[in-house]
Amino acid sequence: MFTPIERIIDGQVAEGQNVKLRGWIYRSRQQGKLNFVVVRDATGVLQCAVKKGVVSDDHFEGATKALIESAVIVQGTVKKDPRAPGGWELSATSFDVLHFSEIFPISKDQSTEFLLDVRHLWLRSRELTAVMRVKANVLASIRDFCAKEGYWETTPPILSTSAAEGGSTLFELDYFGQKAYLSQSAQLHLEALIFSLEKVYAITPSFRAEKSRTTKHLTEYWHFEGEAAHCSHEGIMDFEERLLEYVCRRVASENAKELAQLGRDPAELAAVTAPFDKLPYAEAIARLQAKGVNIKHGDDFGTDEERLLTEDVTQPVFITHFPAVMKPFYMKENPDGTVNNHDLLAPKGFGELIGGSERETDLKTIEAKLVNAGEKLENYSWYLDLRKYGSVQHSGFGLGVERLVKWVCGLEHIRDTTPFPRVINRAYP
Ligand code: 4AD
Ligand code: MG
């Protein structure tokens, strides 16, 4: 049995107890007949004191020779030591090297580009390990919340001949001689599933051929999307805000250590409280104009506008009811020319976390909008069927998992929320 390092650092192993660890050399330093080898496993790092005469000569030689990232098994007794990182040390009684590492290419102060080239190795860094642990818990929290709320997890396709968000950001591919696309959103297929399961969700890869280099766009990201029958626009926003409260509070309590390591204050996440403010688009425009921004009705918000709208708030805020002309065909239009949609913006200029809306239910209205947008109706015939057989009010949303993780962890760049980031100039490693 191997003891996770975290248990020792957390003080769950009594001083003087003999334990066995399994991990990789994180750092090492020699002081005459004593090697201080810091060992890393999935849960943390621990300093091991490997002393000549206490371990066998073979083992001492191994500890002296073994470079960073060598794989090791260490046995020894646990001891409190304020000088050691984390306050605990292992006095080794045996030190087995499973694999002697070659010289590890990553050392201090390397360029971002280089670290991205060796991403498969950089994943071992403590920062990325902490983020991946948070991300796993974000995903688990989303699934638990959906199950509690009676939403069924489903598996919509990634390859499709119909486009949800349309236009310039589609990755096109040759599907045995037919044009097909990598999915941008599972929404249309989720809409089909509500007629059997009523409340559904999916967590799938979405693809956007985003030409812009920003700190919040990936070309491949994980998309959490929900769709519910008999659900109003207000109803779906209510679901989203309670979900976000649940995820933030759970991560704040279960990942406090990782957040602290990343320099993010868990208290801010624990304070996320539904309901969130709802600000209609027209009012948002008026607010921006009052702040001196040169913007008019019908303009979209850029990074600067999103920052100005959220610089004074501590909770996420919904911007609702955009002009229909700015939005896709599937959104439910009101008589005043707005749609029942929302973007959820995280505080302090973070930008968009969620986009969602009530869906148009009327066949003729959707057909007219598609024709107006220059689309061929036959490309959407299966989707239009959904408005012929028992069409009901329904609403849904999409949340970018990496956007949420970026916000939760307080990261500068979205690429660090995903192990192998795909951006405009990179699909390697
Ligand atoms: O706002 P979007 O484009 O909405 C849709 O795709 C809807 N069909 C979703 C639905 O109603 N089912 O995308 C939804 C979310 C955004 O709010 C953002 O968090 C994320 O997906 N997102 C991206 N995340 C990372 N990189 C990108 N390039 C992203 N584009 C969108
Ligand atoms: Mg959006």
Side-chain angles (χ1 to χ4, degrees):
M1 269 297 285
F2 296 96
T3 304
I5 286 176
E6 171 173 70
R7 294 201 59 227
I8 299 170
I9 299 291
D10 287 352
Q12 289 171 30
V13 178
E15 201 168 0
Q17 201 171 312
N18 198 271
V19 298
K20 219 184 208 184
L21 310 179
R22 182 163 57 181
W24 292 266
I25 297 182
Y26 182 65
R27 168 161 23 95
S28 133
R29 142 177 90 87
Q30 211 185 341
Q31 250 177 35
K33 295 191 166 138
L34 188 56
N35 282 308
F36 289 107
V37 185
V38 178
V39 173
R40 161 183 80 70
D41 72 4
T43 67
V45 298
L46 182 72
Q47 176 166 295
C48 303
V50 188
K51 211 173 188 173
K52 197 176 167 94
V54 177
V55 300
S56 71
D57 286 352
D58 264 16
H59 283 187
F60 184 77
E61 199 186 314
T64 309
K65 248 182 28 193
L67 301 177
I68 284 173
E69 291 306 320
S70 295
V72 297
I73 291 178
V74 197
Q75 200 166 348
T77 49
V78 169
K79 144 172 159 240
K80 260 201 183 114
D81 188 335
R83 290 163 305 177
W88 292 86
E89 190 181 74
L90 195 74
S91 306
T93 49
S94 83
F95 191 95
D96 281 299
V97 180
L98 299 176
H99 180 258
F100 283 96
S101 176
E102 296 183 22
I103 296 174
F104 199 55
I106 302 176
S107 57
K108 276 205 175 102
D109 303 324
Q110 264 151 337
S111 73
T112 305
E113 274 314 296
F114 176 77
L115 291 176
L116 285 167
D117 285 339
V118 293
R119 186 71 167 193
H120 51 296
L121 303 176
W122 182 233
L123 287 176
R124 304 175 187 195
S125 69
R126 300 204 64 211
E127 184 192 6
L128 286 179
T129 305
V131 176
M132 295 314 141
R133 284 167 66 114
V134 171
K135 188 177 194 178
N137 208 19
V138 164
L139 288 166
S141 307
I142 288 173
R143 290 195 161 97
D144 288 348
F145 185 81
C146 285
K148 257 188 350 173
E149 296 279 324
Y151 278 64
W152 296 91
E153 181 163 10
T154 62
T155 57
I158 305 300
L159 289 170
S160 181
T161 52
S162 35
E165 298 304 302
S168 58
T169 66
L170 278 171
F171 279 110
E172 192 182 303
L173 56 96
D174 172 31
Y175 194 73
F176 308 109
Q178 196 189 352
K179 237 189 225 177
Y181 310 101
L182 291 177
S183 174
Q184 295 170 309
S185 163
Q187 180 193 322
L188 305 188
H189 294 93
L190 288 178
E191 285 187 64
L193 282 157
I194 62 156
F195 294 93
S196 53
L197 296 167
E198 297 191 18
K199 295 196 274 189
V200 293
Y201 76 99
I203 303 176
T204 53
S206 271
F207 300 87
R208 307 272 168 119
E210 305 272 5
K211 296 262 163 53
S212 53
R213 280 182 208 220
T214 77
T215 57
K216 55 188 185 188
H217 288 90
L218 296 165
T219 54
E220 175 182 326
Y221 70 98
W222 285 81
H223 207 168
F224 160 48
E225 293 174 278
E227 198 72 32
H230 315 297
C231 181
S232 66
H233 186 219
E234 288 69 31
I236 204 70
M237 285 192 283
D238 171 76
F239 177 84
E240 292 163 36
E241 60 201 5
R242 288 185 299 107
L243 169 109
L244 219 56
E245 177 184 294
Y246 176 83
V247 172
C248 289
R249 291 186 180 195
R250 190 163 139 186
V251 168
S253 92
E254 293 176 5
N255 297 103
K257 247 189 291 172
E258 286 83 2
L259 294 172
Q261 195 188 324
L262 296 164
R264 176 75 154 118
D265 182 4
E268 266 181 55
L269 293 176
V272 170
T273 305
F276 304 150
D277 281 347
K278 281 134 199 133
L279 180 68
Y281 170 87
E283 268 179 52
I285 292 286
R287 265 194 212 185
L288 289 168
Q289 287 169 340
K291 288 189 183 222
V293 181
N294 181 15
I295 193 168
K296 58 180 191 311
H297 199 84
D299 290 347
D300 217 339
F301 304 128
T303 309
D304 289 341
E305 288 77 26
E306 287 179 343
R307 184 176 43 74
L308 286 168
L309 286 171
T310 58
E311 61 186 350
D312 309 322
V313 300
T314 54
Q315 299 284 333
V317 48
F318 286 107
I319 313 291
T320 68
H321 300 96
F322 284 63
V325 288
M326 297 172 65
K327 291 294 170 184
F329 69 93
Y330 55 71
M331 291 184 180
K332 174 84 179 168
E333 187 166 344
N334 297 303
D336 68 358
T338 64
V339 281
N340 282 342
N341 83 314
H342 56 271
D343 280 355
L344 183 69
L345 306 183
K348 297 180 188 157
F350 177 87
E352 181 185 332
L353 282 179
I354 299 182
S357 68
E358 182 180 344
R359 318 307 190 186
E360 181 55 64
T361 50
D362 180 62
L363 179 63
K364 290 279 167 292
T365 310
I366 294 194
E367 283 178 342
K369 288 199 173 195
L370 280 169
V371 170
N372 219 0
E375 298 282 353
K376 289 205 190 88
L377 289 186
E378 67 254 34
N379 289 344
Y380 291 86
S381 67
W382 73 263
Y383 182 75
L384 296 170
D385 274 353
L386 307 178
R387 272 60 176 176
K388 295 181 188 169
Y389 310 109
S391 188
V392 292
Q393 183 185 37
H394 63 288
S395 301
F397 66 90
L399 174 156
V401 173
E402 287 78 11
R403 292 264 180 100
L404 179 56
V405 172
K406 177 178 188 280
W407 180 57
V408 161
C409 292
L411 301 177
E412 284 292 308
H413 203 295
I414 195 166
R415 65 176 166 239
D416 288 333
T417 63
T418 196
F420 297 100
R422 268 69 180 112
V423 290
I424 182 166
N425 63 342
R426 181 175 291 278
Y428 172 96

